[in-house]
Amino acid sequence: MRELILAIESSCDETSVAVVEDGAKILSNVIASQIKSHQRFGGIVPEVASRHHVEEITICIEEALEEAQVKVADLTAVAVTQGPGLVGALLIGIAAAKSFAWAHDLPLIPVNHMAGHIYAARFVEPLVFPLMALLVSGGHTELVYMAEDGSFEIIGETRDDAAGEAYDKVGRVLGLSYPSGKEIDELAHLGQDTYNFPRAMIHEPHFDFSFSGLKSSFINFVHNAEQRGETLIKEDLAASFQASVIDVLVNKTIRACQTYPIKQLVVAGGVAANKGLRTALTQAVSSELPDVQLIFPPLKLCGDNAAMIGAAAHVELQKQHLAQMDLNANPSLVFPNKD
Ligand code: KG4
Ligand code: ZN
């Protein structure tokens, strides 16, 4: 019998519900983005996010079931993002998932949002272990070593800002709307790395990152130029910033992959949509790690979505990692310690 998981994601600014078959096939993946409501504030307003989730969640559940042509009686389990994320936003998805699971007598599977981002790669290829995941999103920048399904070891992470956060802050200085990662990526392709911003900790032996120095150096540079009445070239600023981020990400990731005995490299999270990063990593892997298979999820699965939660939930269900009706949101949920 096929396993059908109804998955719910509401950790930030997308309400998403999916139906996933056997952890590997998307039958539906409804995503209601609220980004337009947050743009005028230049970032996510948690209270606004929660209110939107309340309005959208039941509509998304109905749509996801209808699009998948699945009846409630056919479902195997309900999965939901437990954290990390905004507490109020997470709670809406969790309340909906608990009610649905209770009403229909289905098992409830709690899922780590970051594990979800990694498992988005499962829709491209079966995962082969051990693997390395480079997780780059608005809130996280981590190198995660996975010895097997459902096992996560963070071997390096940002000591300050996440890569996506740096993109969004720099974007604000460039007068771009939130979130600005995609637009900076597009501008970068029209410019050159002429300003040469710092590449923090690039040659240090550990696998940690730091992006706040780059962000400050960028902002100071732009403000100083403004004060002197100098005109800077926006495309070159974007290209220089992006070159610095990509250099550090690629350098550290390749070194991590040379240090651990991995078979695959998965790149995940919103910043994995970056075209410059995709090109640079593809080149670096083919020349430095010819035996490693590089997997990028398709663009629509890089950002937040519930299908990735369904893929990660499949593994949790096999391990019988289930939740009871007292499941609570955990805004700072971390990967579990290794058994
Ligand atoms: O994973 P995600 O959708 O949400 C979080 O869980 O954080 O990531 C959102 C982040 C934002 O910071 C956004 O600016 C960034 O991903 N992003 C990009 C690109 N597309 C989205 N950053 C760089 N290049 C892109 N093409
Ligand atoms: Zn995310």
Side-chain angles (χ1 to χ4, degrees):
M1 214 178 69
R2 60 184 187 156
E3 174 205 276
L4 293 174
I5 294 182
L6 179 82
I8 298 178
E9 154 66 36
S10 70
S11 66
C12 192
D13 60 341
E14 335 271 353
T15 318
S16 181
V17 182
V19 177
V20 175
E21 183 177 336
D22 297 325
K25 187 171 170 203
I26 301 174
L27 301 189
S28 63
N29 190 20
V30 176
I31 305 172
S33 173
Q34 333 170 337
I35 203 62
K36 289 212 160 53
S37 304
H38 298 282
Q39 255 161 359
R40 66 198 158 109
F41 301 110
I44 308 289
V45 182
E47 183 58 30
V48 172
S50 306
R51 283 166 192 265
H52 274 287
H53 287 308
V54 172
E55 284 167 12
E56 293 289 340
I57 192 81
T58 42
I59 303 169
C60 288
I61 293 176
E62 279 166 18
E63 266 186 38
L65 287 170
E66 199 183 308
E67 208 182 299
Q69 301 200 333
V70 160
K71 290 194 231 35
V72 175
D74 302 329
L75 291 173
T76 314
V78 180
V80 66
T81 305
Q82 186 188 5
L86 302 168
V87 68
L90 289 164
L91 279 169
I92 312 298
I94 292 177
K98 285 204 277 196
S99 319
F100 196 97
W102 184 78
H104 302 293
D105 202 16
L106 290 165
L108 179 65
I109 312 166
V111 175
N112 180 312
H113 179 83
M114 304 316 292
H117 273 301
I118 298 176
Y119 275 91
R122 178 64 190 87
F123 296 116
V124 182
E125 283 286 334
L127 300 185
V128 182
F129 300 93
L131 68 76
M132 189 68 72
L134 171 65
L135 263 174
V136 269
S137 74
H140 291 256
T141 304
E142 289 160 2
L143 277 164
V144 183
Y145 175 69
M146 293 182 68
E148 56 182 26
D149 249 337
S151 149
F152 308 91
E153 186 189 343
I154 296 180
I155 60 152
E157 63 193 321
T158 183
R159 295 190 181 171
D160 37 60
D161 291 357
E165 191 181 351
Y167 267 94
D168 297 335
K169 288 183 176 159
V170 157
R172 196 184 296 192
V173 177
L174 289 176
L176 309 177
S177 60
Y178 176 89
S180 16
K182 187 165 182 271
E183 213 176 328
I184 293 180
D185 191 13
E186 285 160 5
L187 282 172
H189 283 83
L190 306 172
Q192 303 290 331
D193 177 9
T194 51
Y195 297 115
N196 223 318
F197 292 117
R199 275 109 168 113
M201 307 192 301
I202 194 163
H203 296 303
E204 290 181 27
H206 57 73
F207 301 119
D208 283 350
F209 304 94
S210 165
F211 293 107
S212 82
L214 166 63
K215 176 195 67 188
S216 308
S217 140
F218 183 96
I219 294 173
N220 291 339
F221 183 72
V222 172
H223 286 167
N224 288 343
E226 273 169 7
Q227 275 162 7
R228 286 198 299 268
E230 288 171 20
T231 318
L232 299 173
I233 301 163
K234 214 175 193 177
E235 290 79 5
D236 289 349
L237 280 172
S240 304
F241 167 78
Q242 174 144 311
S244 168
V245 174
I246 292 177
D247 257 7
V248 177
L249 288 176
V250 171
N251 214 286
K252 295 249 168 186
T253 304
I254 295 292
R255 233 167 0 88
C257 292
Q258 286 164 337
T259 310
Y260 288 77
I262 54 134
K263 300 198 170 84
Q264 287 180 335
L265 169 61
V266 168
V267 190
V271 184
N274 188 280
K275 294 204 174 66
L277 178 63
R278 286 176 175 243
T279 309
L281 261 179
T282 304
Q283 280 167 1
V285 168
S286 79
S287 66
E288 311 276 331
L289 304 160
D291 299 329
V292 169
Q293 186 187 21
L294 175 62
I295 310 178
F296 286 101
L299 291 187
K300 63 180 186 305
L301 297 180
C302 284
D304 292 346
N305 68 89
M308 68 185 198
I309 302 302
H314 167 75
V315 176
E316 297 299 306
L317 181 61
Q318 282 175 335
K319 296 188 179 232
Q320 283 293 301
H321 288 168
L322 303 177
Q324 301 307 312
M325 284 300 138
D326 60 356
L327 177 69
N328 202 353
N330 184 347
S332 39
L333 185 67
V334 292
F335 285 123
N337 286 329
K338 281 190 297 166
D339 302 326

